[in-house]
Amino acid sequence: MSTNSTRARAVALLAGAALAVSACATSASGGGSASSHGSSGAASAPTNKAITWAYEQEFSQYNMNTPAGDTVANRVHLGPVLSGFWEFRPDGSLQPNTDFGTYVKVKDNPLTVKYSINPGAVWSDGKPIDCDDIVLAWLAHSGVTGATGFSAARTVGYDQQDRPACTAGSREVTVTYRTRFADWAAMYGPGEIMPAHIVEQRAGMTRTFVDYAATPTSPDLAKAVNFYDKGWALTPGQLRKDIIPSSGPYQLDAWTAGQSLTLKANPRWWGTPVKIPTIVIRYISGTAQAQALQNGEVQVMDPQPQTDIVNQLKAMGQAVTFTTGDQFTYEHLSFNFKGQFADASLREAFARCVPRQQIVDNLIKPQNARAQIMETRFVFPFQPGYAAFAAGLGGAQYDTVDLAGAKKLLAGRTPTVRIGWLKNPDKINKRRADTLALIQSSCGQAGFKVVDAGTPTFFEKEAPAGNFDVGMMAWVASQLVSDSAGAHMTGSGDNYGKYSDPQVDALFKRAMSETETAKQTALLKQIDTLLWKDLESIPLFTFPAIFALAKNTEGVVYNATVANLLWNVGSWNLA
C-alpha cells in the first residue's frame, strides 16, 4: 500500500472481499503470485543485485509495539525483519507464516491455541527463538504488569489470555483465553515477538521472562520495562546492530538519516533464500518519485495518492508498469477530547464547516472518478456491503457545508484550531497541504482560525502527547475487529484523541467475541452510529492506490494492507 501517516488500523468488514486495485492481480514483467516471505523457492541472487523502493516516511525505531513506535513507517520497514506466525495477504486476509512456525486451535472451551516455532528459527545473532520471546510478547501486550509500566500500543486479545504455558528453551507454547476471542488467529504476528535475550542483557536481568511470567509485578522487571519501552528508539542514522537482531529474511544493515535505509539478506535465515540480497528503501517525496523511477534511480514506487503523480506516470507511457485503484486506507480528522473539542457543540460546528465533498471532488476524483465521501469507519465504498452498512449512520448530515449552522453553534466564538499531521518540510504531502487549505478557507468563514500544526514528529511526539486539536491522518485496514477497536476504545494507545464511551467499549468487546459475521456486522453498525453521534472523528475519503514499477522488476505484488509491498519481498527479482 502507499505510505500512510498513521499507525492506527481500521477493519475491512467483509471477510474475503477482493481489493479494487488492479495491481493486486498484475505485476511487472511476468509478475509474481501472492506468496509469503522467502517462498519463491529460488537460490540466493548474486551479491551485487539490489532493488530500490521509493518511500516517503522514515524509519524511527525497532520496537513497533509502543505507542510512539507503532507507526506505519516502522511496520513497513520491519516487516521483513521481525517475523511472526502470520502476515497479511493483499486482500487483507491472514496468511500463516509457516517459515516462522505453525499454530492451531486445539479447543473451543476454553479457547486454546498451540504455537510451534520452527525448530531452525534463530535470531540473526544466533540465539534461538523460543518460549522466552513469546512470554515477553505476552507480558508487554497483556496489561497484566500494571504499575511496572510496559507501554503497549495494543492490548486487545492479549489481555484475555492466561500466561503462555511453556518452559524455558521450549519452542512449543500453549495459550488459553479466559473469554472467546474472534481474532485469535491474529495474535503473535509480525513485529510483536521481540528478542527477549536482548532486553534481559540490557536490563541486567538475572532471570528470564519465563521466570517472571507468574509474578509480573516484580520490581525486578522495572529496568526491563524501561529498556523495552525506550531502548529501541534509535538516533536517526544509527542502527546499533548489537541490539536489533532479525527474525526474518532480511536484517537492518545501513541507515543514512533523511535519505535511505538498507536491508540485507539475513545470513542466518532458515527459510527459503531470497532472490535479491539488497533492498534499499530510499526516502523521496511523492511528487519526485515518478522522475526517480523514470531515471532508473528506483525500481518500485507506491506513494500517497496525489493527482500530480498520476499525471506524471501517465505521461511516461509504456516506460513503466503503472496501475491505480482503491485501497484499504481512509483519511479522517480526529478530535482531541482532552482539549477544547471536549465541547460537543464545538465539534459539531467544525464538522459542519469541513468541506468533505469539495475535498473529494478537487483532490481525489482526478485520480479515481468513482471516489465518494467516506461515510463509515468499518466498510469501504468499493466493498459490496458498503451502501447497506452506511445507511442511517448519521454522517451524511455533514456531507454538505453548513456555514450558517456552524456560526450558530459557535455563537460568536472564534476558536483557534491546531490541525496536527505528519509534515516533513523537505517532503511535503501536497494532498494533505491542499486538504488543510480547503478546511482553513471553509471553516474560516464560519469563525474558526485553523492553524497548520503539522510536524515531522507528529506520531512520535505530538500525537501521543495530545498536543493537537484535530489530527489529520489515515487509518489502514485489515479484516480484524480487534485492530479497529484500539483507535476508539478507552485507554488504548491508538486512541490519540482520548475519546471514551462505555457503550462503545462494551459493544467492541461483544464484537470481538462474536464469530458470526452477520452479528458482528450489526454490532459494528451500532458502534459506527455512536461514533457519529459523538463526532469522535470525521471520515473523509478512501485512498486511491498508485503503484508503478520499472519494466525489469519482477515479483512485486501490490498489498493494500499495513504489510505494504515488502510482504513478499523474498520473491522480488530483476529480469
Side-chain angles (χ1 to χ4, degrees):
M1 71 184 180
S2 58
T3 50
N4 300 300
S5 57
T6 188
R7 58 195 184 82
R9 290 161 288 171
V11 61
L13 177 66
L14 303 179
L19 284 175
V21 182
S22 57
C24 286
T26 306
S27 59
S29 303
S33 61
S35 57
S36 63
H37 292 320
S39 60
S40 62
S44 295
T47 56
N48 61 346
K49 275 193 171 185
I51 290 179
T52 300
W53 174 28
Y55 192 74
E56 293 181 75
Q57 297 179 41
E58 189 160 7
F59 172 75
S60 64
Q61 60 176 282
Y62 175 77
N63 187 359
M64 65 175 77
N65 299 293
T66 65
D70 186 20
T71 67
V72 170
N74 287 337
R75 289 184 176 276
V76 167
H77 288 78
L78 293 169
V81 175
L82 292 174
S83 294
F85 284 96
W86 58 271
E87 51 203 358
F88 283 117
R89 293 188 181 98
D91 67 354
S93 62
L94 299 186
Q95 172 173 284
N97 181 6
T98 54
D99 277 336
F100 189 83
T102 60
Y103 60 107
V104 61
K105 182 171 66 172
V106 296
K107 189 187 296 185
D108 281 311
N109 189 21
L111 174 60
T112 306
V113 183
K114 181 179 180 180
Y115 293 86
S116 300
I117 301 169
N118 190 312
V122 294
W123 295 99
S124 57
D125 60 10
K127 296 292 185 180
I129 300 173
D130 57 26
C131 168
D132 204 30
D133 302 304
I134 300 295
V135 171
L136 170 59
W138 174 75
L139 280 169
H141 289 87
S142 65
V144 299
T145 53
T148 55
F150 278 111
S151 178
R154 177 192 181 207
T155 61
V156 175
Y158 292 99
D159 59 359
Q160 299 177 40
Q161 299 174 7
D162 292 329
R163 70 176 184 268
C166 59
T167 57
S170 172
R171 295 179 187 263
E172 302 288 330
V173 183
T174 300
V175 172
T176 302
Y177 289 77
R178 294 184 294 276
T179 59
R180 187 170 60 177
F181 183 59
D183 291 336
W184 63 268
M187 298 291 100
Y188 302 100
E192 294 180 349
I193 301 171
M194 303 295 288
H197 67 283
I198 295 294
V199 185
E200 291 160 357
Q201 291 169 6
R202 293 289 162 171
M205 293 170 61
T206 58
R207 302 173 68 190
T208 69
F209 289 105
V210 174
D211 297 323
Y212 283 121
T215 56
T217 57
S218 169
D220 294 338
L221 279 177
K223 290 183 179 180
V225 169
N226 185 65
F227 178 84
Y228 183 92
D229 288 349
K230 301 176 182 178
W232 281 313
L234 304 171
T235 301
Q238 297 181 15
L239 285 178
R240 298 190 62 190
K241 294 183 182 180
D242 58 324
I243 63 171
I244 55 171
S246 169
S247 60
Y250 286 89
Q251 59 188 8
L252 300 170
D253 182 69
W255 182 10
T256 302
Q259 297 184 37
S260 67
L261 185 138
T262 300
L263 304 176
K264 289 283 190 181
N266 176 3
R268 292 185 179 269
W269 173 239
W270 61 90
T272 308
V274 301
K275 293 182 177 181
I276 295 291
T278 303
I279 302 293
V280 178
I281 304 171
R282 184 175 166 192
Y283 306 128
I284 303 176
S285 64
T287 51
Q289 288 185 15
Q291 188 63 54
L293 183 67
Q294 187 175 40
N295 294 345
E297 299 169 35
V298 303
Q299 289 73 50
V300 184
M301 61 176 280
D302 65 327
Q304 283 212 38
Q306 298 184 51
T307 303
D308 290 349
I309 300 173
V310 173
N311 292 336
Q312 289 178 57
L313 290 168
K314 285 180 178 177
M316 294 181 191
Q318 298 301 312
V320 298
T321 299
F322 163 51
T323 56
T324 61
D326 297 299
Q327 60 178 296
F328 280 138
T329 305
Y330 75 93
E331 190 85 340
H332 75 286
L333 303 172
S334 185
F335 290 109
N336 184 352
F337 279 69
K338 291 299 183 182
Q340 63 181 328
F341 280 110
D343 182 342
S345 67
L346 201 62
R347 296 197 301 276
E348 183 178 350
F350 194 75
R352 293 198 176 280
C353 69
V354 172
R356 297 167 78 206
Q357 189 65 59
Q358 185 182 17
I359 291 169
V360 171
D361 290 343
N362 290 14
L363 306 180
I364 308 304
K365 281 191 175 180
Q367 303 165 60
N368 180 2
R370 303 181 309 279
Q372 56 185 290
I373 294 173
M374 183 81 173
E375 301 288 6
T376 90
R377 298 162 180 84
F378 304 119
V379 187
F380 287 74
F382 55 82
Q383 293 184 278
Y386 175 78
F389 190 95
L393 293 178
Q397 64 179 303
Y398 304 108
D399 287 359
T400 303
V401 170
D402 178 11
L403 292 178
K407 289 178 180 178
K408 183 177 180 179
L409 288 161
L410 285 176
R413 293 176 292 177
T414 57
T416 296
V417 178
R418 297 167 303 135
I419 294 188
W421 56 295
L422 183 62
K423 179 183 180 182
N424 188 329
D426 298 324
K427 302 181 179 69
I428 292 293
N429 183 314
K430 188 175 185 300
R431 190 208 71 243
R432 283 219 168 99
D434 290 345
T435 299
L436 176 62
L438 290 173
I439 295 172
Q440 286 176 317
S441 175
S442 181
C443 290
Q445 297 175 60
F448 288 99
K449 181 182 178 182
V450 179
V451 175
D452 181 353
T455 64
T457 58
F458 182 67
F459 291 104
E460 285 75 35
K461 295 182 180 179
E462 288 79 11
N467 187 15
F468 66 97
D469 294 313
V470 174
M472 179 168 55
M473 58 190 82
W475 283 346
V476 187
S478 77
Q479 292 181 8
L480 308 175
V481 178
S482 56
D483 270 354
S484 66
H488 312 288
M489 291 183 71
T490 303
S492 169
D494 281 341
N495 184 351
Y496 291 127
K498 302 301 184 286
Y499 169 77
S500 179
D501 185 315
Q503 190 176 358
V504 168
D505 293 345
L507 287 168
F508 263 125
K509 289 178 181 177
R510 287 176 58 191
M512 286 186 288
S513 66
E514 182 54 66
T515 56
E516 293 185 31
T517 301
K519 292 181 179 180
Q520 193 179 78
T521 299
L523 290 166
L524 289 173
K525 186 160 184 174
Q526 289 182 58
I527 293 169
D528 219 347
T529 302
L530 287 172
L531 294 177
W532 271 118
K533 180 182 177 182
D534 291 343
L535 277 173
E536 177 264 356
S537 59
I538 306 173
L540 296 176
F541 55 82
T542 303
F543 271 31
I546 302 174
F547 178 52
L549 301 171
K551 286 292 185 180
N552 68 331
T553 308
E554 300 179 338
V556 184
V557 179
Y558 186 81
N559 190 316
T561 75
V562 71
N564 215 299
L565 294 184
L566 295 180
W567 77 284
N568 77 327
V569 69
S571 297
W572 289 19
N573 206 357
L574 293 172

